[in-house]
Amino acid sequence: MFYVIVAEDVPGSLEQRLAARPAHRERLRALQDEGRVIVAGACPAIDGPDPGPAGFTGSVIVAEFDSLAQAESWAEADPFVAAGVYAKVTVKPFARAFPM
């Protein structure tokens, strides 16, 4: 089943985000290599692809896991959580409609 992981950044956490980004992306690449990632990315704090010093407000990941508990466990182990980037992480089941 698919799950959406929505994470909200702590304000002013850009430095921590940039430091933890390589480890965060490595975990996402592992899911991608298994064919489990639908989409993943960051939410810029401004209307543009490169927010510069404005940073980010959070992240969104839609990926396949065996259960809600597995998705929650994966999200809790994210390097951004350990680095104090995320203030809140929400994991919900996701019913994919498009693309089919």
Side-chain angles (χ1 to χ4, degrees):
M1 174 143 188
F2 295 110
Y3 296 88
V4 61
I5 301 168
V6 179
E8 298 175 30
D9 283 17
V10 170
S13 61
L14 180 60
E15 186 175 317
Q16 294 94 322
R17 176 183 268 274
L18 294 176
R21 187 172 186 252
H24 170 79
R25 289 179 58 98
E26 183 177 319
R27 292 181 80 234
L28 284 169
R29 273 192 207 98
L31 282 183
Q32 180 180 358
D33 290 348
E34 295 171 4
R36 296 170 47 194
V37 174
I38 301 301
V39 67
C43 301
I46 60 171
D47 189 13
D50 181 1
F56 299 88
T57 61
S59 302
V60 176
I61 300 167
V62 179
E64 186 174 15
F65 293 93
D66 291 335
S67 67
L68 177 60
Q70 185 188 50
E72 289 172 333
S73 178
W74 187 91
E76 290 169 9
D78 193 290
F80 283 170
V81 172
V85 174
Y86 292 153
K88 179 180 177 183
V89 178
T90 304
V91 181
K92 295 181 180 183
F94 181 78
R96 179 175 163 173
F98 292 97
M100 299 175 128

